[in-house]
Each structure stands twice: as C-alpha cells, then as structure tokens.
Amino acid sequence: MKLSKKIDFITGVLDRLYPNPQIPLSHSNNFTFLVAVMLSAQSTDKKVNEITPSLFLKADCPEDMVKLSVEEIRNIIREIGLAPTKAKNIRKMSELLIARHNGLVPSSFACLEDLPGVGHKTASVIMSQ
C-alpha cells in the first residue's frame, strides 16, 4: 500500500473514531487557548485548568495581558512548572500579537512559531484545533 493510501486510511479511521475530539484545556477564545497550551508544557491539563480562570479573569485578550506585569502573571501561574519563563513569554507574546497581528492569534505555523514560548508542538496543537 502506498504511503498516501495508508495516511488516508489511518485518517479515515481516526475521523470515524473521534469525530469531534474535545479540547481538554479550558478556554474562551483563540488567545486563551494559546496561553493555556503554552502553560501546559511541563504541566498537566488539570493543573492548567485550575489556574487559568484567575488569569483569564484579569486578562483574556492580548490588550489586557500587556497591562499585567510579568510578576503579576508569574504570581498567578506560580504553581505551574517553569512559571518565571512562561510569564515572560506570555507577556512578550501578547505584545507581539498586538504589534504584528492586530491582537489576533495568527493562523500559520511560521507566525505562531515566531512568538516567544511557542514552539512547533504548541503551534501544531493550535493549528489542529
């Protein structure tokens, strides 16, 4: 069987088994989804879902996130692994979304991967959803 036929077969089976897969990370828009995925690295979805409500209550869009200091973000997400680095990346990513993308989460791998804290794995999750 050719590779393309194998891919089509596997994709078809997965689509039948999982027609509408649920997203385990709580979010209300593309921005909060991006932040939640960034936070999930080296952490569990359960822990991310425990702390993001308080973060998103203060900032659920890039314009509000940049109003928070890195220290404020870090204090909210402190229970997540790598919180200091993630706080810096979330703040800087928010700034760049405003400066480069009119505050919107980009829809290409290249643009996503240019954002701080967004590697190929995070970009793949965002693009697949």
Side-chain angles (χ1 to χ4, degrees):
M1 186 182 273
K2 284 186 158 185
L3 181 59
S4 62
K5 287 187 179 196
K6 286 181 182 179
I7 292 170
D8 290 343
F9 174 77
I10 292 169
T11 302
V13 170
L14 289 173
D15 286 342
R16 282 190 303 279
L17 290 172
Y18 306 102
N20 296 307
Q22 297 296 313
I23 300 170
L25 295 169
S26 298
H27 64 286
S28 59
N29 58 46
N30 289 342
F31 175 74
T32 58
F33 183 49
L34 176 57
V35 172
V37 174
M38 291 172 69
L39 290 172
S40 71
Q42 304 294 315
S43 187
T44 64
D45 293 345
K46 180 182 178 189
K47 183 50 96 175
V48 171
N49 287 338
E50 288 174 7
I51 64 167
T52 52
S54 57
L55 177 62
F56 297 153
L57 188 63
K58 292 185 177 214
D60 66 352
C61 64
E63 294 79 8
D64 289 340
M65 193 65 75
V66 298
K67 293 175 185 174
L68 301 177
S69 68
V70 171
E71 293 76 26
E72 288 175 287
I73 298 168
R74 186 183 66 234
N75 285 336
I76 295 169
I77 67 167
R78 69 184 176 279
E79 295 177 39
I80 294 284
L82 308 172
T85 300
K86 289 179 182 181
K88 289 177 195 172
N89 285 338
I90 289 169
R91 179 73 165 54
K92 185 64 178 172
M93 176 272 299
S94 300
E95 291 172 1
L96 292 177
L97 286 181
I98 294 167
R100 295 180 183 169
H101 305 285
N102 296 316
L104 301 174
V105 175
S107 58
S108 76
F109 277 103
C111 291
L112 283 166
E113 290 176 349
D114 279 345
L115 298 171
V118 180
H120 187 73
K121 186 176 177 181
T122 297
S124 294
V125 172
I126 299 301
M127 292 295 291
S128 72
Q129 300 298 324

